[in-house]
Amino acid sequence: MGNEKSKDSKMMDMLHGPLLGKMLQVAMPFAVSSILQQLFISIDVAVVGRFASSEALAAVGANTFLINLLINLFVGISVGANAVIAMAIGARDRHRVRNAVGTTCVIAIVCSLLLLIIGLTFAPTILRWMATPQEILSDATTYLRVYFLGVPFFIVFNFGAAILRSKGDTRRPLYMLLAAGVVNTLCCLLFVIVLHWSVAGVAAATGLANVFSASCMICVLRHESGPFRLQATRLHVDRQSLRRILVIGIPTGVQSMLFSFSNVFVQTGINSYGAAAIAGSSVEQNFEYYCYFLMSAFTGTAVTFVGQNYGAGLIDRCKRVFWLSMACGALFCLAGNLLFHSERGFFLWLFTADPDVTAFARERLSDVLIFQWIAASYEISAACLRGLGHSLEPTLIAIFGTCVFRLGWIFFYCPSHPGFNHLMAVYPISWILTGVLMLTAYAITLRQVAAQHRA
């Protein structure tokens, strides 16, 4: 890997020198890339809310958690690929890198096909189970069916981005998404304003943008150097790489999937307040996602930096990565929380002029968004655990803190305490609970890893 590294100008040295500057170089393009992916959905919401109807806006919003539920398992597996490739780079094992990259590409293809089948077959039925109001059910189903035609390309792009991130390259995925964002915006405006395709138009625009970004990613990987190059002869499954990727990736994906599953129940509670509540939550969630991506950029960065340094046996450096990631993740997220909350009048105006929708969005901004930075306590510590090769522990903690607890809140607390604000309180309380448990698990695991390294 030493000679290869000198040939690859995009390979970052994460094992030597100051950390903060390098981490920011990785995290900032990562954050912008994630924000651009969310921007596709925000454009859908804004265009529908401004140029279609509040019912169409609610139809798009009713699908948010369901879409996340179905794709998060597969996106989580890409985190496993990122960690495994990063460890191989840190160990300077060129053969392991090549095997992990080839296996990752095969997994991406299989996951894409599975997700397409699952989404088209089962998603409309789940919308009915979620008690989606009858007046928006038809539009919600249409949006979902069209949207999932482009999801395989979304998965391919994310697995390709995981390969590039493992060596510190987050800029090229950003450039691809910038171009895809232009495609999405132009198509969305054309399909909705000119052709009047409403929800089908915004879903089709997002799908075309996903096709574009996936095509760019495939082209880039085909021209990579050394073990990172995508070639047909390298598309095979290495059992050891597959096992390592799945051991880290499946718990990560299951955690995200169950997290979204619990939010489906929260969405069911929101649905009970009517279309205005659904639309208002949909608008506000855009701001939550943007702030979350400012934080999650450092979770992805932590996985990569901890993975490489752990692979090289640099445990003290792994500790510094944790503290820097925690500080940066919480502070960047808090800055976003304060911005959207203080300027909520302007940001809400961009999406809707309906006073009922705005009222629900404002309430969620005050009850949920302003406390979101607390989630860094468990997001960053869980990412560092995965970089150390421990994925089961953070998954179990997250399942309890953000899934079991939220379901208990909805089924036992909310019936005796009606009101939208009581429903929304489940988010900050679950963040605090999960954060305390995850930080404790990280401290215990790190102590064990350090002892093993000294031995």
Side-chain angles (χ1 to χ4, degrees):
M1 290 294 296
N3 292 335
E4 194 61 53
K5 182 177 173 181
S6 65
K7 296 176 183 178
D8 190 349
S9 61
K10 299 179 179 63
M11 176 85 77
M12 177 180 287
D13 181 4
M14 301 182 187
L15 309 180
H16 307 91
L19 279 167
L20 180 58
K22 293 179 180 180
M23 291 174 65
L24 290 174
Q25 288 180 44
V26 173
M28 290 299 95
F30 193 179
V32 177
S33 298
S34 299
I35 288 171
L36 284 173
Q37 286 187 311
Q38 178 59 30
L39 185 61
F40 296 168
I41 299 175
S42 296
I43 291 172
D44 293 352
V45 172
V47 171
V48 167
R50 279 291 178 177
F51 299 101
S53 65
S54 294
E55 288 75 18
L57 175 60
V60 174
N63 281 294
T64 301
F65 286 134
L66 179 55
I67 289 171
N68 289 337
L69 172 66
L70 293 174
I71 70 174
N72 275 344
L73 173 62
F74 303 99
V75 173
I77 295 174
S78 74
V79 174
N82 183 0
V84 170
I85 299 171
M87 290 178 192
I89 294 172
R92 300 183 179 276
D93 192 329
R94 177 188 177 94
H95 183 68
R96 274 175 55 192
V97 173
R98 180 184 292 110
N99 285 340
V101 169
T103 303
T104 297
C105 293
V106 174
I107 294 174
I109 295 170
V110 173
C111 289
S112 298
L113 296 176
L114 284 175
L115 190 54
L116 177 62
I117 294 170
I118 293 171
L120 294 180
T121 303
F122 298 107
T125 302
I126 300 175
L127 280 174
R128 295 186 179 89
W129 291 348
M130 290 172 59
T132 304
Q134 191 63 39
E135 65 267 25
I136 67 171
L137 182 59
S138 177
D139 278 347
T141 302
T142 298
Y143 177 84
L144 200 60
R145 289 189 183 279
V146 177
Y147 183 92
F148 264 95
L149 292 175
V151 162
F153 301 96
F154 171 86
I155 295 297
V156 167
F157 174 83
N158 276 277
F159 272 86
I163 294 172
L164 296 181
R165 285 198 304 268
S166 68
K167 60 174 182 170
D169 182 5
T170 56
R171 293 188 179 183
R172 284 185 292 176
L174 168 60
Y175 300 151
M176 297 175 210
L177 286 174
L178 282 171
V182 174
V183 172
N184 183 73
T185 301
L186 294 177
C187 289
C188 193
L189 295 172
L190 172 64
F191 294 160
V192 176
I193 299 176
V194 179
L195 301 179
H196 305 291
W197 288 358
S198 189
V199 295
V202 292
T206 301
L208 289 175
N210 287 333
V211 171
F212 178 84
S213 60
S215 300
C216 292
M217 180 59 70
I218 292 171
C219 182
V220 165
L221 290 177
R222 284 183 58 82
H223 291 85
E224 279 296 278
S225 60
F228 298 97
R229 179 175 296 173
L230 174 61
Q231 292 179 320
T233 56
R234 296 181 182 177
L235 292 179
H236 68 280
V237 175
D238 174 68
R239 291 185 179 181
Q240 188 176 34
S241 297
L242 177 63
R243 183 184 63 81
R244 288 173 175 168
I245 290 171
L246 295 183
V247 163
I248 298 175
I250 287 183
T252 304
V254 168
Q255 173 189 324
S256 299
M257 189 176 180
L258 291 177
F259 177 80
S260 296
F261 181 73
S262 69
N263 282 334
V264 167
F265 283 92
V266 177
Q267 184 65 44
T268 302
I270 294 172
N271 291 352
S272 67
Y273 289 92
I278 298 172
S281 286
S282 175
V283 168
E284 191 275 348
Q285 284 162 28
N286 284 277
F287 311 137
E288 286 183 34
Y289 283 126
Y290 289 128
C291 295
Y292 172 77
F293 291 139
L294 290 172
M295 174 175 57
S296 68
F298 291 94
T299 68
T301 301
V303 169
T304 302
F305 273 77
V306 171
Q308 284 206 24
N309 283 279
Y310 175 60
L314 304 175
I315 305 302
D316 286 340
R317 199 169 172 87
C318 292
K319 296 177 184 178
R320 294 200 295 274
V321 171
F322 167 77
W323 288 112
L324 288 171
S325 299
M326 182 67 72
C328 292
L331 289 174
F332 275 83
C333 184
L334 176 60
N337 297 156
L338 294 175
L339 172 64
F340 286 121
H341 189 270
S342 63
E343 301 298 329
R344 55 192 177 276
F346 168 74
F347 287 111
L348 292 175
W349 172 84
L350 293 175
F351 289 88
T352 181
D354 189 319
D356 293 331
V357 172
T358 301
F360 279 103
R362 282 178 174 272
E363 186 164 359
R364 180 159 178 154
L365 273 162
S366 298
D367 294 339
V368 179
L369 180 76
I370 198 64
F371 302 106
Q372 190 185 19
W373 60 273
I374 297 171
S377 61
Y378 73 88
E379 291 282 356
I380 299 297
S381 48
C384 291
L385 281 168
R386 293 190 174 98
L388 294 171
H390 292 256
S391 193
L392 183 59
E393 298 93 327
T395 297
L396 294 176
I397 292 170
I399 288 173
F400 173 76
T402 60
C403 298
V404 175
F405 177 79
R406 288 182 185 179
L407 292 179
W409 184 275
I410 293 165
F411 287 112
F412 297 107
Y413 178 83
C414 289
S416 58
H417 296 80
F420 191 74
N421 61 323
H422 287 287
L423 176 61
M424 293 296 99
V426 70
Y427 287 109
I429 294 175
S430 65
W431 291 334
I432 294 172
L433 172 63
T434 310
V436 171
L437 295 174
M438 198 75 75
L439 286 168
T440 302
Y442 170 77
I444 294 172
T445 302
L446 184 65
R447 191 179 301 116
Q448 293 172 345
V449 169
Q452 292 170 359
H453 179 68
R454 287 194 298 269

